[in-house]
Amino acid sequence: MAFQDNLVQIISDPNLSPKQKSNYLALAAEASLPYLSISIAVNQAKEAGIICDMFEGHAPFKPRYVLPDYVKFLQQGSQYLELSPVQDFDEALNALTIIYHHVPSVTSIPVYLGQLDDILLPYTDGIDAESIYRKLKLFWIMLDRTLSDAFMHVNIGPSDNIICRTILRIDAELKQIAPNLTFMYDPDITPDELLQIAASNICECSKPHIANYPIHANAYDGQGFGIVSCYNSLPLAGGANTLVRLNLKQVALKALNIEDFFANTLPHYCQLTYELIESRARFLHEESNFFNSFLVKEGLIEESRFAPMFGIYGMAEAVNILQGNPEITEDSLDKPSQYYGHNQAANKLGHRISKALDTIIKSTPVTYGYHGRALLHSQGGISLDKDVTPGVRIPYGSEPNPIAHIQALAEHHQYYTSGISDILTIDETVKSNPQAMFQLCKGALSLGFREFTANVASNDLVRVTGYMIKLSDIAAFKQQGSRTNTTGLGAEAAANTGMLNRKPRVVAQELSPNYAK
Amino acid sequence: MQNKLATVSQIQPFSCVDGPGSRLVIFLQGCNYNCKNCHNPHTIDLCDHCGDCVPTCPTQALTLVTTEGTSRIDWDSEPCTQCDTCLSVCPKQSSPKTRQYSVEDLLVLIHNQRHFINGITISGGEASLQLAFIIELFKAIKSNKELSHLTCMLDTNGSLSINGWHKLLPYLDSAMIDLKAWQEETHRYITGRDHHRVFQSLRLLAEHGKLYEVRLLHIPGISDFDSEIEAVATYLKQLPNSVRVKLNAFQHHGVTGEARQWGTCSEEQMKLLASALSQRGVGNLVLPSIYL
């Protein structure tokens, strides 16, 4: 389609809001520029769908994810935003509301709203619990309505405090798709009763996501980290300058056999991935002038704390291809015993691939990285992915029972510093028994799960790849569009990838008819 | 004595509906009731290894193995696609897909899942028919340092004798009992058995603080909980407050024979029964979360 025809189509789309149209127009403009200079080999791998730049744009002018130090921001105020240091709770919420609109990301709005209990607790003196509740509830509604995008992410925990508890209460009450929420769990700090509340919330609204705090904290220095967007763990006061991902399925298809995969194909395509990472990061850091922004000048982010994310996906297909398994069909779904996620040899091969990637990531320097390195990431998929499973997940519809599911994947989690999300779909009977969710979560974390994420079957609010959507919104989407940017992706993802076909695991004998298919 | 085997029809590694928290549930094959409304009729009878199912299996997962004049069905779970053709052709409506487990086998299984579960539940069929095995298993769990925190529960029709209960009680945390009907003749019509022992079991467990849940299956027009509401409510009220009264709604899933003609229980009918009970002071009611 001619460039201008494309613009006309965006402008006249009846299902997009003016703001959504502006975003698409900007993307189209950026995409009309020539691509950064990359080698022929990288370009070929990109064209062939082996390496993917996540459609971040031809000339990146903002980092993919930015995690400002909001504590510092409130303490010092901002010259650029003409704000004095914050004195009380209301001023804190107001100042945050303002700065959020100045924090860019790949989605053009912030993906990180901060560790809100650390940020707000210093300003709670003298305010009663009910007032905190009312103020935070309005704040929560504001976030969902003005920054409508479920990649926007709040962190709470691992300590037990009033902000953390109030946010959990409000989140379960409002059941909004935004903001996304991560609860940090540390067995030494977090009381079981608080984790139980979080687990009950998951049964209510599939949120929060539970992060294994000690594992994440150990991966980063004392300045800390945050979980942003769809479960990406990154250095605080820094972020991800870019995310380039490698399609392991395609890499496996290029390999002659398992040994060729490890000796040649995988290292080769990792090398090309690094080339793309380097050229994208170089443009951002050296040409775009992003690092002249007030966020850097006022010390809210540091250039040295940005790292590229080295993403992978299609682990399941890669393993099945390398093992010579036929493609999973309707017939093999019931008993996919030789397949990834079900078979020990297959699972072990998967672990071996993750370990090999880890070795490559830890030994390959990058110009703009965290301690000179990229961060390995199990990528949660995008709406265009067809016939390839996100990250290291078990393909939709073929998942074993939740415990076997966790046991099959736990070994991978140690390697994915910048995040890995394995979404467990739990039968709706868990709703009346949140203690079961709690125990499953504890079991997963004790087995080394970096993050625990669960969807409860039948909840309207569910997770697609990493962000939240409402099933009812998807149904309505085709007719009327949606106020929320991510719902469009969700509808597309639902149509393309079959991810909503995830099978709930019904466990009741007497109540089992709904999974008898 | 250490080599007791149980005939297991199914193991469910993660269940949210068979007791508190998450539970590993072991379903034992065989039942002494013959409920018209049984949702899993293939778990009632033990397979007699007649071999009728063997040639009907589309994936040859079943074979008849004869050693020293005795024939046994051998079920291979690998090729099995769970199409259940074998169940539909069985003259006894019995499942050939059972497995023999020793206490040691189950301990290994439970050990692998121990971080994820709050306990184990033995269900059926009618679990108490294999009481000696259950006692041995529970005893082993309670005396194993890494497993002793797991609660051991029994899901039963309540037909176990008082003597049997006394043998089990030292190792049992609590039990769930189905009360199939209020009136003797209704109970006999539905199950083929009387219900003296069910009431005895309920009383005994309540006295020992080991009754977790009474389950009433509401079959409109067949079970008599609604027509006998006063007596039912009076009875339930004298149970300890901690006992959950779980109302289940009759559905057709898995049901064969005349019960297929019975009407299913709708959400409205269920709520009607629940409100009739709570109006009469019965607390701790648990209603189904889904009606399908």
Side-chain angles (χ1 to χ4, degrees):
Chain A
M1 192 190 314
F3 179 61
Q4 290 193 340
D5 290 342
N6 185 24
L7 301 189
V8 169
Q9 212 168 59
I10 293 170
I11 284 171
S12 53
D13 189 321
N15 291 333
L16 295 176
S17 73
K19 195 162 187 177
Q20 287 167 332
K21 287 177 183 180
S22 298
N23 273 340
Y24 282 117
L25 289 172
L27 288 174
E30 207 188 336
S32 74
L33 294 174
Y35 203 87
L36 299 163
S37 103
I38 50 174
S39 70
I40 293 168
V42 172
N43 194 46
Q44 279 172 347
K46 211 170 136 288
E47 295 292 314
I50 306 172
I51 299 174
C52 169
D53 69 357
M54 301 292 294
F55 305 93
E56 280 177 1
H58 289 188
F61 60 93
K62 59 202 174 186
R64 184 173 185 87
Y65 302 131
V66 178
L67 292 79
D69 183 343
Y70 295 112
V71 171
K72 195 171 185 182
F73 162 70
L74 295 188
Q75 279 169 1
Q76 68 187 22
S78 166
Q79 221 173 6
Y80 178 80
L81 296 172
E82 299 171 52
L83 293 169
S84 331
V86 159
Q87 304 298 328
D88 62 27
F89 199 70
D90 286 336
E91 283 187 21
L93 292 181
N94 189 53
L96 288 173
T97 306
I98 293 166
I99 195 173
Y100 289 156
H101 289 273
H102 299 271
V103 177
S105 81
V106 67
T107 65
S108 83
I109 57 171
V111 292
Y112 182 61
L113 304 186
Q115 182 75 33
L116 276 186
D117 37 16
D118 283 359
I119 293 168
L120 292 173
L121 271 175
Y123 306 99
T124 51
D125 282 355
I127 320 181
D128 62 280
E130 196 50 32
S131 301
I132 291 177
Y133 165 74
R134 271 190 292 113
K135 290 170 196 290
L136 276 177
K137 188 169 175 179
L138 292 177
F139 185 68
W140 223 240
I141 293 168
M142 179 280 295
L143 291 174
D144 180 67
R145 304 305 190 274
T146 64
L147 299 169
S148 287
D149 175 318
F151 292 117
M152 181 184 68
H153 209 121
V154 166
N155 295 181
I156 49 173
S159 71
D160 186 1
N161 61 73
I162 181 143
I163 298 292
C164 178
R165 282 185 182 251
T166 309
I167 285 176
L168 285 172
R169 176 183 163 197
I170 292 168
D171 204 52
E173 220 172 273
L174 295 177
K175 299 183 173 58
Q176 299 172 165
I177 54 165
N180 213 331
L181 186 64
T182 284
F183 175 81
M184 309 278 184
Y185 174 72
D186 183 339
D188 291 336
I189 298 173
T190 318
D192 271 3
E193 181 239 337
L194 189 57
L195 180 63
Q196 179 68 67
I197 294 175
S200 301
N201 269 31
I202 297 176
C203 298
E204 280 283 317
C205 61
S206 304
K207 284 197 282 176
H209 157 78
I210 314 281
N212 196 327
Y213 181 80
I215 293 186
H216 284 290
N218 285 338
Y220 296 102
D221 58 22
Q223 238 175 305
F225 72 99
I227 308 268
V228 310
S229 187
C230 41
Y231 323 118
N232 307 299
S233 172
L234 291 163
L236 186 69
N241 38 30
T242 186
L243 162 57
V244 177
R245 61 179 194 154
L246 183 60
N247 185 340
L248 294 177
K249 175 184 180 179
Q250 293 298 329
V251 178
L253 284 171
K254 297 274 178 197
L256 301 171
N257 52 44
I258 292 178
E259 292 326 308
D260 184 44
F261 176 84
F262 283 107
N264 303 310
T265 334
L266 186 64
H268 173 67
Y269 286 103
C270 282
Q271 189 49 47
L272 296 184
T273 306
Y274 271 110
E275 272 187 60
L276 188 54
I277 282 174
E278 281 291 332
S279 62
R280 296 191 62 81
R282 192 170 299 125
F283 187 89
L284 176 75
H285 285 261
E286 295 173 11
E287 309 278 333
S288 77
N289 279 313
F290 170 80
F291 289 97
N292 293 329
S293 86
F294 87 98
L295 293 168
V296 179
K297 286 184 180 147
E298 299 187 4
L300 304 180
I301 55 175
E302 297 162 35
E303 189 172 3
S304 65
R305 294 182 68 77
F306 280 82
M309 294 167 73
F310 189 113
I312 58 97
Y313 66 118
M315 175 68 83
E317 288 77 13
V319 166
N320 287 332
I321 288 162
L322 292 173
Q323 289 221 315
N325 286 334
E327 275 198 45
I328 297 186
T329 64
E330 290 271 311
D331 292 338
S332 59
L333 266 187
D334 283 332
K335 265 209 138 310
S337 53
Q338 75 261 49
Y339 294 92
Y340 178 78
H342 298 264
N343 171 281
Q344 234 183 349
N347 294 346
K348 282 215 167 111
L349 177 57
H351 303 154
R352 191 178 155 202
I353 295 173
S354 284
K355 192 172 192 279
L357 284 163
D358 179 65
T359 305
I360 290 170
I361 301 312
K362 289 202 169 125
S363 59
T364 308
V366 294
T367 312
Y368 299 98
Y370 183 67
H371 300 311
R373 295 290 181 276
L375 299 168
L376 186 59
H377 180 64
S378 171
Q379 207 275 322
I382 58 175
S383 54
L384 299 169
D385 295 344
K386 276 189 181 176
D387 303 322
V388 56
T389 303
V392 303
R393 291 182 197 166
I394 299 170
Y396 302 117
S398 77
E399 307 97 320
N401 75 71
I403 297 176
H405 195 153
I406 290 165
Q407 287 171 334
L409 298 178
E411 181 85 17
H412 287 289
H413 279 232
Q414 59 186 308
Y415 302 118
Y416 294 88
T417 311
S418 62
I420 169 170
S421 61
D422 293 311
I423 301 177
L424 300 164
T425 300
I426 316 293
D427 173 73
E428 64 187 331
T429 53
V430 78
K431 282 184 164 197
S432 45
N433 190 354
Q435 199 198 345
M437 182 69 86
F438 166 82
Q439 196 58 42
L440 190 68
C441 173
K442 272 192 91 160
L445 297 178
S446 75
L447 216 64
F449 252 49
R450 204 173 263 274
E451 357 218 340
F452 174 87
T453 313
N455 273 338
V456 174
S458 89
N459 273 7
D460 188 34
L461 188 61
V462 296
R463 208 169 259 107
V464 177
T465 68
Y467 49 92
M468 314 288 297
I469 53 161
K470 283 189 171 178
L471 294 177
S472 48
D473 279 357
I474 289 188
F477 176 72
K478 284 217 168 89
Q479 279 74 44
Q480 51 194 272
S482 171
R483 178 175 58 75
T484 314
N485 299 335
T486 35
T487 306
L489 293 177
E492 192 181 351
N496 285 349
T497 64
M499 53 186 50
L500 295 178
N501 299 335
R502 273 181 171 267
K503 270 192 211 158
R505 300 286 152 191
V506 175
V507 288
Q509 285 284 289
E510 301 219 66
L511 300 176
S512 66
N514 68 337
Y515 88 125
K517 279 174 195 172
Chain B
M1 282 299 280
Q2 284 302 308
N3 297 318
K4 278 201 174 62
L5 292 176
T7 305
V8 174
S9 65
Q10 199 199 340
I11 293 178
Q12 185 63 255
F14 179 78
S15 163
C16 309
V17 295
D18 297 283
S22 65
R23 314 197 66 81
L24 183 140
V25 190
I26 299 160
F27 296 92
L28 301 185
Q29 179 77 10
C31 187
N32 52 347
Y33 281 9
N34 210 346
C35 299
K36 292 186 167 68
N37 59 281
C38 184
H39 289 63
N40 299 293
H42 56 274
T43 66
I44 297 176
D45 279 321
L46 291 173
C47 169
D48 62 6
H49 307 280
C50 71
D52 283 6
C53 56
V54 172
T56 70
C57 178
T59 58
Q60 286 87 50
L62 300 169
T63 42
L64 196 64
V65 185
T66 309
T67 39
E68 295 168 14
T70 327
S71 296
R72 274 198 74 81
I73 302 270
D74 184 63
W75 169 59
D76 185 356
S77 66
E78 281 291 307
C80 175
T81 63
Q82 301 290 355
C83 70
D84 288 348
T85 306
C86 53
L87 303 187
S88 63
V89 302
C90 177
K92 294 183 74 178
Q93 268 202 87
S94 165
S95 172
K97 297 182 289 181
T98 57
R99 243 185 231 310
Q100 305 281 308
Y101 282 87
S102 68
V103 169
E104 287 69 28
D105 295 336
L106 290 177
L107 286 178
V108 170
L109 208 84
I110 295 164
H111 195 264
N112 282 337
Q113 320 277 41
R114 69 190 187 284
H115 294 304
F116 299 95
I117 53 175
N118 299 101
I120 70 155
T121 297
I122 312 285
S123 184
E126 174 44 36
S128 67
L129 298 180
Q130 301 181 55
L131 186 71
F133 181 88
I134 296 171
I135 290 172
E136 210 174 282
L137 177 66
F138 284 4
K139 212 192 268 187
I141 289 170
K142 296 294 181 191
S143 60
N144 182 313
K145 227 169 103 185
E146 289 190 305
L147 306 180
S148 58
H149 66 285
L150 299 173
T151 52
C152 294
M153 300 186 67
L154 186 70
D155 184 356
T156 170
N157 62 22
S159 62
L160 184 62
S161 70
I162 295 291
N163 262 345
W165 280 117
H166 279 300
K167 284 186 208 153
L168 181 63
L169 278 179
Y171 316 103
L172 177 79
D173 287 287
S174 51
M176 292 153 279
I177 294 194
D178 288 321
L179 179 58
K180 309 271 187 186
W182 180 254
Q183 286 288 351
E184 181 67 58
E185 55 269 35
T186 319
H187 194 271
R188 200 182 286 278
Y189 170 69
I190 293 175
T191 71
R193 296 282 190 123
D194 66 39
H195 63 6
H196 290 115
R197 278 196 174 174
V198 183
F199 283 108
Q200 276 178 356
S201 298
L202 285 166
R203 189 172 62 228
L204 180 85
L205 286 166
E207 277 168 13
H208 284 80
K210 294 195 170 178
L211 183 59
Y212 173 75
E213 185 175 273
V214 187
R215 292 172 171 173
L216 311 183
L217 178 67
H218 185 33
I219 314 172
I222 304 287
S223 64
D224 53 6
F225 301 118
D226 45 357
S227 52
E228 301 288 341
I229 191 77
E230 295 298 342
V232 173
T234 309
Y235 178 76
L236 293 174
K237 269 193 296 185
Q238 52 83 41
L239 292 172
N241 288 333
S242 61
V243 176
R244 290 158 43 113
V245 177
K246 187 161 185 184
L247 303 180
N248 285 329
F250 173 66
Q251 305 297 331
H252 281 164
H253 173 68
V255 174
T256 55
E258 65 172 291
R260 196 97 206 168
Q261 308 306 314
W262 299 349
T264 57
C265 174
S266 67
E267 189 167 0
E268 291 68 37
Q269 288 167 317
M270 187 88 277
K271 284 185 171 155
L272 221 57
L273 178 65
S275 73
L277 287 171
S278 54
Q279 270 166 28
R280 287 163 181 80
V282 180
N284 217 347
L285 286 173
V286 183
L287 270 70
S289 53
I290 40 176
Y291 298 82
L292 283 168

PDB file of all heavy atoms in Angstrom, chain B residues 70-85:
ATOM      1  N   THR B  70      -4.006 -67.731  34.636  1.00  0.00           N
ATOM      2  CA  THR B  70      -4.784 -66.557  35.032  1.00  0.00           C
ATOM      3  C   THR B  70      -4.591 -65.444  33.997  1.00  0.00           C
ATOM      4  O   THR B  70      -3.458 -65.132  33.629  1.00  0.00           O
ATOM      5  CB  THR B  70      -4.318 -66.016  36.408  1.00  0.00           C
ATOM      6  OG1 THR B  70      -3.893 -67.125  37.193  1.00  0.00           O
ATOM      7  CG2 THR B  70      -5.425 -65.251  37.085  1.00  0.00           C
ATOM      8  N   SER B  71      -5.723 -64.866  33.598  1.00  0.00           N
ATOM      9  CA  SER B  71      -5.642 -63.789  32.612  1.00  0.00           C
ATOM     10  C   SER B  71      -5.768 -62.430  33.292  1.00  0.00           C
ATOM     11  O   SER B  71      -6.530 -62.267  34.238  1.00  0.00           O
ATOM     12  CB  SER B  71      -6.760 -63.948  31.574  1.00  0.00           C
ATOM     13  OG  SER B  71      -6.565 -65.134  30.851  1.00  0.00           O
ATOM     14  N   ARG B  72      -5.016 -61.479  32.771  1.00  0.00           N
ATOM     15  CA  ARG B  72      -5.094 -60.111  33.283  1.00  0.00           C
ATOM     16  C   ARG B  72      -5.064 -59.134  32.122  1.00  0.00           C
ATOM     17  O   ARG B  72      -4.344 -59.325  31.149  1.00  0.00           O
ATOM     18  CB  ARG B  72      -3.884 -59.798  34.175  1.00  0.00           C
ATOM     19  CG  ARG B  72      -4.014 -60.193  35.622  1.00  0.00           C
ATOM     20  CD  ARG B  72      -2.966 -59.451  36.456  1.00  0.00           C
ATOM     21  NE  ARG B  72      -3.317 -58.046  36.636  1.00  0.00           N
ATOM     22  CZ  ARG B  72      -4.194 -57.622  37.545  1.00  0.00           C
ATOM     23  NH1 ARG B  72      -4.786 -58.480  38.357  1.00  0.00           N
ATOM     24  NH2 ARG B  72      -4.477 -56.346  37.646  1.00  0.00           N
ATOM     25  N   ILE B  73      -5.861 -58.075  32.251  1.00  0.00           N
ATOM     26  CA  ILE B  73      -5.790 -57.011  31.245  1.00  0.00           C
ATOM     27  C   ILE B  73      -4.587 -56.146  31.567  1.00  0.00           C
ATOM     28  O   ILE B  73      -4.385 -55.737  32.716  1.00  0.00           O
ATOM     29  CB  ILE B  73      -7.036 -56.104  31.300  1.00  0.00           C
ATOM     30  CG1 ILE B  73      -8.309 -56.907  31.085  1.00  0.00           C
ATOM     31  CG2 ILE B  73      -6.899 -54.945  30.304  1.00  0.00           C
ATOM     32  CD1 ILE B  73      -8.748 -57.030  29.677  1.00  0.00           C
ATOM     33  N   ASP B  74      -3.795 -55.874  30.548  1.00  0.00           N
ATOM     34  CA  ASP B  74      -2.662 -54.976  30.734  1.00  0.00           C
ATOM     35  C   ASP B  74      -2.968 -53.682  29.976  1.00  0.00           C
ATOM     36  O   ASP B  74      -3.245 -53.702  28.783  1.00  0.00           O
ATOM     37  CB  ASP B  74      -1.401 -55.645  30.182  1.00  0.00           C
ATOM     38  CG  ASP B  74      -0.178 -54.787  30.429  1.00  0.00           C
ATOM     39  OD1 ASP B  74       0.142 -54.565  31.609  1.00  0.00           O
ATOM     40  OD2 ASP B  74       0.422 -54.312  29.444  1.00  0.00           O
ATOM     41  N   TRP B  75      -2.940 -52.576  30.706  1.00  0.00           N
ATOM     42  CA  TRP B  75      -3.251 -51.279  30.093  1.00  0.00           C
ATOM     43  C   TRP B  75      -1.980 -50.466  29.955  1.00  0.00           C
ATOM     44  O   TRP B  75      -1.266 -50.240  30.928  1.00  0.00           O
ATOM     45  CB  TRP B  75      -4.281 -50.538  30.951  1.00  0.00           C
ATOM     46  CG  TRP B  75      -4.474 -49.110  30.564  1.00  0.00           C
ATOM     47  CD1 TRP B  75      -4.874 -48.624  29.356  1.00  0.00           C
ATOM     48  CD2 TRP B  75      -4.261 -47.953  31.400  1.00  0.00           C
ATOM     49  NE1 TRP B  75      -4.940 -47.258  29.371  1.00  0.00           N
ATOM     50  CE2 TRP B  75      -4.566 -46.828  30.603  1.00  0.00           C
ATOM     51  CE3 TRP B  75      -3.864 -47.771  32.714  1.00  0.00           C
ATOM     52  CZ2 TRP B  75      -4.471 -45.522  31.110  1.00  0.00           C
ATOM     53  CZ3 TRP B  75      -3.770 -46.484  33.216  1.00  0.00           C
ATOM     54  CH2 TRP B  75      -4.076 -45.381  32.416  1.00  0.00           C
ATOM     55  N   ASP B  76      -1.696 -50.037  28.726  1.00  0.00           N
ATOM     56  CA  ASP B  76      -0.512 -49.224  28.465  1.00  0.00           C
ATOM     57  C   ASP B  76      -0.962 -47.766  28.276  1.00  0.00           C
ATOM     58  O   ASP B  76      -1.660 -47.447  27.316  1.00  0.00           O
ATOM     59  CB  ASP B  76       0.169 -49.750  27.189  1.00  0.00           C
ATOM     60  CG  ASP B  76       1.474 -49.032  26.914  1.00  0.00           C
ATOM     61  OD1 ASP B  76       1.800 -48.090  27.667  1.00  0.00           O
ATOM     62  OD2 ASP B  76       2.164 -49.421  25.947  1.00  0.00           O
ATOM     63  N   SER B  77      -0.581 -46.913  29.204  1.00  0.00           N
ATOM     64  CA  SER B  77      -1.074 -45.536  29.152  1.00  0.00           C
ATOM     65  C   SER B  77      -0.453 -44.727  28.016  1.00  0.00           C
ATOM     66  O   SER B  77      -0.990 -43.704  27.610  1.00  0.00           O
ATOM     67  CB  SER B  77      -0.804 -44.825  30.481  1.00  0.00           C
ATOM     68  OG  SER B  77       0.583 -44.694  30.677  1.00  0.00           O
ATOM     69  N   GLU B  78       0.684 -45.189  27.495  1.00  0.00           N
ATOM     70  CA  GLU B  78       1.345 -44.411  26.427  1.00  0.00           C
ATOM     71  C   GLU B  78       0.471 -44.267  25.173  1.00  0.00           C
ATOM     72  O   GLU B  78       0.173 -43.152  24.779  1.00  0.00           O
ATOM     73  CB  GLU B  78       2.693 -45.049  26.072  1.00  0.00           C
ATOM     74  CG  GLU B  78       3.803 -44.711  27.056  1.00  0.00           C
ATOM     75  CD  GLU B  78       4.237 -43.235  26.988  1.00  0.00           C
ATOM     76  OE1 GLU B  78       4.551 -42.778  25.877  1.00  0.00           O
ATOM     77  OE2 GLU B  78       4.224 -42.564  28.031  1.00  0.00           O
ATOM     78  N   PRO B  79       0.065 -45.387  24.542  1.00  0.00           N
ATOM     79  CA  PRO B  79      -0.770 -45.215  23.340  1.00  0.00           C
ATOM     80  C   PRO B  79      -2.212 -44.812  23.653  1.00  0.00           C
ATOM     81  O   PRO B  79      -2.923 -44.338  22.771  1.00  0.00           O
ATOM     82  CB  PRO B  79      -0.734 -46.600  22.681  1.00  0.00           C
ATOM     83  CG  PRO B  79      -0.420 -47.548  23.776  1.00  0.00           C
ATOM     84  CD  PRO B  79       0.402 -46.804  24.781  1.00  0.00           C
ATOM     85  N   CYS B  80      -2.650 -44.995  24.901  1.00  0.00           N
ATOM     86  CA  CYS B  80      -4.056 -44.718  25.252  1.00  0.00           C
ATOM     87  C   CYS B  80      -4.409 -43.257  24.992  1.00  0.00           C
ATOM     88  O   CYS B  80      -3.674 -42.358  25.389  1.00  0.00           O
ATOM     89  CB  CYS B  80      -4.293 -45.031  26.733  1.00  0.00           C
ATOM     90  SG  CYS B  80      -5.948 -44.585  27.302  1.00  0.00           S
ATOM     91  N   THR B  81      -5.507 -43.022  24.294  1.00  0.00           N
ATOM     92  CA  THR B  81      -5.946 -41.651  24.036  1.00  0.00           C
ATOM     93  C   THR B  81      -7.134 -41.262  24.906  1.00  0.00           C
ATOM     94  O   THR B  81      -7.744 -40.228  24.693  1.00  0.00           O
ATOM     95  CB  THR B  81      -6.348 -41.471  22.561  1.00  0.00           C
ATOM     96  OG1 THR B  81      -7.462 -42.325  22.293  1.00  0.00           O
ATOM     97  CG2 THR B  81      -5.209 -41.800  21.619  1.00  0.00           C
ATOM     98  N   GLN B  82      -7.465 -42.076  25.875  1.00  0.00           N
ATOM     99  CA  GLN B  82      -8.596 -41.826  26.778  1.00  0.00           C
ATOM    100  C   GLN B  82      -9.900 -41.643  26.018  1.00  0.00           C
ATOM    101  O   GLN B  82     -10.715 -40.800  26.360  1.00  0.00           O
ATOM    102  CB  GLN B  82      -8.323 -40.579  27.652  1.00  0.00           C
ATOM    103  CG  GLN B  82      -7.077 -40.668  28.508  1.00  0.00           C
ATOM    104  CD  GLN B  82      -7.185 -41.661  29.650  1.00  0.00           C
ATOM    105  OE1 GLN B  82      -8.240 -42.243  29.880  1.00  0.00           O
ATOM    106  NE2 GLN B  82      -6.099 -41.889  30.368  1.00  0.00           N
ATOM    107  N   CYS B  83     -10.084 -42.451  24.959  1.00  0.00           N
ATOM    108  CA  CYS B  83     -11.318 -42.332  24.174  1.00  0.00           C
ATOM    109  C   CYS B  83     -12.491 -43.010  24.891  1.00  0.00           C
ATOM    110  O   CYS B  83     -13.648 -42.784  24.574  1.00  0.00           O
ATOM    111  CB  CYS B  83     -11.136 -42.920  22.777  1.00  0.00           C
ATOM    112  SG  CYS B  83     -10.991 -44.732  22.762  1.00  0.00           S
ATOM    113  N   ASP B  84     -12.176 -43.882  25.852  1.00  0.00           N
ATOM    114  CA  ASP B  84     -13.185 -44.535  26.696  1.00  0.00           C
ATOM    115  C   ASP B  84     -14.078 -45.536  25.955  1.00  0.00           C
ATOM    116  O   ASP B  84     -15.156 -45.887  26.453  1.00  0.00           O
ATOM    117  CB  ASP B  84     -14.059 -43.499  27.435  1.00  0.00           C
ATOM    118  CG  ASP B  84     -13.269 -42.810  28.545  1.00  0.00           C
ATOM    119  OD1 ASP B  84     -12.161 -43.293  28.873  1.00  0.00           O
ATOM    120  OD2 ASP B  84     -13.754 -41.803  29.073  1.00  0.00           O
ATOM    121  N   THR B  85     -13.632 -45.999  24.785  1.00  0.00           N
ATOM    122  CA  THR B  85     -14.380 -47.057  24.099  1.00  0.00           C
ATOM    123  C   THR B  85     -14.478 -48.286  25.003  1.00  0.00           C
ATOM    124  O   THR B  85     -15.519 -48.944  25.083  1.00  0.00           O
ATOM    125  CB  THR B  85     -13.674 -47.444  22.778  1.00  0.00           C
ATOM    126  OG1 THR B  85     -13.497 -46.259  22.017  1.00  0.00           O
ATOM    127  CG2 THR B  85     -14.494 -48.454  21.977  1.00  0.00           C
TER     128      THR B  85
END
